[in-house]
């Protein structure tokens, strides 16, 4: 696939519209379904016929408040279009699973796991609509036959003597089963079709209608026959299970009615039976395939969310929910080193162990994807019961799995959610469990952790910041504050350090410590650092112009370790100096000591080339990285910035003599190597006086000024600069 097509453009250069994507999805869907569809439409007509259904799926998937039930209309519409072959449903669901999110993606901002969950629940709704429509279609056909039989029966009642032979022919030759019982429920007669359904005449005739019961039947249908006899209803139509002579189950669509005499008084009960056992089995198999994992046989994401939704809608103020979210530790290494076949066998073994951890009907273990499993505990008595379940799972995974004579260790990290069901959404419960599971991994794995709302909020906030960060620069949400660098000898302003801030629309102004690690993790630090360098250089140039020939303050810009290793760093620095017209000596780049620990000559080349341009290099946070002091001889740095940890002892009176000796030694060493020394964290007069006496060159801290707008340097007045 070309880059153009991967970005969603046609090869002709036209931008793909939502309708184009919808048409593509409908075309793929048509190719999969049309061969098993008994329709008179052409393929092109059938593809056009699928477009409204595809649009409904897309709109349901994108709905702000997700409700999968409208997707049942899609299943009904496909049956109406003669997609009635049993093999059609897997094809219908397969295309939705593979292509719906690809061609009709949800709105931006929706997590990928939520998109997959929505798609899975849409498949379930489509399958339900398909099954119901298929059933209603069959019932309609059966009803037509039933009406014909009942019409024949009515004719027979009006002239019983003359039509006995014809009625008998219909009764005996009918393809549907027919049974007649008296008003007390004693079976009087059954035709051959019904006898075959039940496994013999004797088995059917020996029963009273009230004895035709089976535990699989819905309790709501038990009284319909009695209501018919009492005259409370004229007829009924139900789907019901019956025990056969051989112990198997007969599933039938049953239509019951009363036979009346010429005066209208009830005489007999008449029931028409259609054997749907095979179709029922097919639908059960289809549902099982749609709700169970093909590899492990465990319930899948669809069935898990179905059961979770049921648990969350339980009535009662005391109803609670328990979820254990399991992710295998190190499973990717098994796949990468031993292959996916071994990985699949390991997952099957894990699934067997997890199934053995379920000890009651209100517990469910499902595989929801990859090496992720989840255990649901509906209405547990307390948190201890849920942690006991998590403990059983960890114990079950403690022993290595033996595959082909090789012992494979398997461990897992579990996130637990427990609490009342009121006001909870299924997606929120799973997200909280997922966040907690990663907390368990960060703590070393092979353990469980219980969800904490504060930890969830922090993780969600980090996730939100990470998602918004890429576009924040384009939206102009960043700005720079400057903290002055003060000469300790004369109190003059030597320069300022550029400190980036993020004006977040929700969280307000965020400091670098709140988003720089996220920027480094996502790679956004490179464009953000480039922007800070450009803005700081322009500001320094403006300071130069405003000085009218006086000594212009320099600007210090921090470099992330990731920027330091970016191949375009030297070119970027040279370009910024050229475009802004800033003198190189007015720019200082600060690099943390830890970023240079262990760096070889090849890694130091960019810094040397920048220093050759005339730009100063400052070694930031000096004294915290445990570097070899002898490395100062060959590092391309001209400034040491002492970490604030060295000045804390100088706040007291008298000052800590150890801190004084350490700083004195560092200053002497730096000056001996031709380096200047800047001290961070100067907050009191005592600190400033001691540092001046020790020979430090510049200081930076709240004693002089807090970070502020660039105009701060023009209006800065030092109450104690001399």
């Amino acid at each position: 696939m070309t880059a153009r097509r991967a970005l969603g453009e046609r090869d002709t250069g036209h931008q793909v519209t939502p309708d184009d994507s919808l048409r593509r999805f409908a075309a793929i869907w048509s190719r999969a379904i049309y061969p098993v569809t008994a329709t008179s439409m052409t393929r092109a007509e059938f593809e056009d016929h699928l477009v409204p259904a595809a649009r409904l799926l897309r709109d349901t998937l994108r709905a702000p408040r997700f409700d999968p039930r409208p997707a049942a209309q899609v299943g009904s519409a496909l049956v109406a279009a003669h997609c009635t072959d049993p093999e059609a449903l897997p094809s219908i669901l397969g295309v939705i699973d593979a292509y719906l999110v690809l061609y009709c993606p949800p709105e931006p901002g929706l997590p990928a796991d939520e998109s997959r969950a929505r798609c899975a629940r849409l498949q379930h709704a489509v399958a339900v609509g398909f099954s119901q429509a298929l059933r209603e279609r069959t019932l309609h056909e059966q009803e037509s036959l039933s009406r014909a039989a009942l019409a024949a029966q009515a004719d027979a009642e009006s002239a019983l003597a003359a039509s006995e032979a014809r009625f008998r022919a219909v009764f005996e030759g009918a393809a549907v089963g027919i049974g007649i019982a008296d008003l007390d429920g004693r079976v009087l007669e059954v035709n051959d079709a019904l006898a075959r359904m039940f496994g013999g005449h004797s088995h059917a005739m020996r029963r009273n209608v009230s004895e035709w019961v089976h535990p699989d039947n819905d309790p709501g249908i038990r009284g319909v026959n009695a209501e018919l006899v009492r005259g409370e209803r004229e007829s009924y139509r139900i789907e019901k299970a019956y025990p056969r002579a051989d112990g198997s189950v007969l599933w039938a669509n049953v239509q019951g009615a009363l036979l009346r005499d010429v005066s209208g008084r009830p005489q007999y009960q008449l029931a028409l039976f259609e054997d749907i056992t095979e179709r029922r089995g097919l639908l059960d198999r289809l549902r099982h395939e749609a709700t169970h994992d093909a590899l492990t046989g465990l319930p899948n994401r669809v069935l898990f969310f179905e059961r979770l939704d049921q648990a969350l809608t339980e009535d009662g103020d005391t109803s609670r929910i328990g979820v254990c979210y399991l992710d295998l530790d190190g499973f990717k290494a098994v796949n990468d080193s031993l292959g996916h076949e071994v990985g699949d066998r390991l997952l099957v073994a894990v699934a067997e162990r997890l199934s053995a951890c379920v000890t009651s009907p209100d517990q469910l273990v499902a595989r929801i994807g990859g090496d992720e499993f989840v255990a649901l505990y509906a209405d547990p008595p307390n948190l201890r019961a849920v942690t006991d379940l998590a403990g059983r799972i960890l114990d079950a995974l403690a022993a290595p799995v033996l595959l082909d004579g090789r012992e494979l260790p398997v461990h897992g990290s579990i996130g637990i959610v427990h609490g009342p069901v009121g006001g909870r959404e299924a997606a929120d419960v799973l997200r909280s469990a997922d966040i907690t599971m990663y907390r368990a991994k960060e703590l070393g794995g092979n353990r469980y952790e219980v969800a904490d709302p504060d930890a969830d909020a922090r993780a969600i906030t980090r996730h939100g910041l990470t998602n918004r960060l890429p576009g924040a620069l384009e939206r102009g949400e960043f700005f720079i504050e400057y903290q002055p660098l003060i000469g300790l000898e004369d109190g003059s302003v030597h320069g300022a350090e550029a400190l980036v801030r993020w004006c977040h629309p929700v969280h307000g102004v965020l400091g670098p410590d709140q988003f720089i690690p996220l920027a480094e993790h996502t790679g956004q630090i490179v464009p953000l650092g480039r922007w800070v360098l450009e803005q700081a250089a322009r500001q320094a140039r403006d300071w130069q112009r405003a000085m009218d020939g006086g000594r212009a303050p320099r600007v210090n810009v921090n470099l992330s370790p990731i920027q330091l290793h970016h191949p375009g760093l030297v070119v970027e620095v040279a370009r910024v100096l050229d475009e802004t017209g800033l003198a190189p000596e007015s720019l200082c780049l600060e690099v943390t000591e830890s970023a240079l620990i262990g760096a070889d000559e090849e890694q130091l080349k960019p810094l040397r080339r920048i220093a050759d341009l005339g730009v100063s290099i400052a070694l930031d946070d000096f004294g915290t990285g445990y570097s070899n002091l002898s490395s100062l001889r060959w590092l391309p740095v001209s400034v040491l910035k002492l970490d604030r940890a060295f000045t804390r002892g100088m706040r007291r009176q008298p000052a800590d003599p150890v801190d004084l000796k350490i700083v004195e030694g560092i200053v002497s060493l730096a000056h001996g190597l031709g380096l200047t020394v800047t001290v961070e964290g100067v907050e009191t007069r005592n600190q400033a006086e001691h540092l001046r006496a020790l020979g430090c060159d510049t200081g930076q801290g709240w004693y002089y000024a807090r970070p502020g707008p660039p105009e701060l340097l023009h209006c800065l007045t030092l109450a104690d600069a001399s």
Side-chain angles (χ1 to χ4, degrees), residues 2-20:
T2 65
R4 180 185 297 271
R5 298 192 65 182
L7 289 171
E9 296 184 4
R10 298 181 185 273
D11 292 339
T12 58
H14 293 94
Q15 185 69 29
V16 174
T17 67
D19 285 342
D20 291 334

Side-chain angles (χ1 to χ4, degrees), residues 445-521:
N446 194 27
R447 60 184 292 150
Y448 65 76
E449 288 291 319
V450 179
D452 172 57
D454 292 337
D456 284 1
R458 290 192 296 270
I460 292 170
T461 298
R462 285 197 304 272
H463 182 70
L465 293 177
T466 302
N467 286 340
R468 187 172 179 85
L469 187 60
L473 190 58
E474 296 178 2
R475 291 187 293 268
E477 295 177 3
F478 291 102
F479 67 97
I480 298 175
E481 290 185 330
Y482 297 87
Q483 187 171 35
L485 296 163
I486 305 301
L488 294 175
E489 184 65 31
D490 59 3
S492 62
V493 178
H494 284 207
E497 181 179 357
L499 300 170
V500 64
R501 307 286 191 252
W502 184 1
C503 186
H504 194 281
V506 175
H507 302 292
V509 176
L510 304 178
D513 58 321
Q514 294 175 281
F515 63 87
I516 290 298
L518 300 179
E520 291 178 328
H521 179 70

Side-chain angles (χ1 to χ4, degrees), residues 338 400-410:
L338 302 179
V401 175
L402 184 62
L403 294 178
D404 299 331
R406 180 192 293 110
E407 287 189 346
L408 298 180
V410 56

Side-chain angles (χ1 to χ4, degrees), residues 10 28 51 91 126 252 325 329 428 434 463 548 555 603 689:
R10 298 181 185 273
I28 295 171
V51 170
S91 299
V126 171
Y325 194 116
D329 298 333
D428 294 335
D434 190 15
H463 182 70
D548 292 330
V555 66
Q603 293 170 318
E689 290 177 348

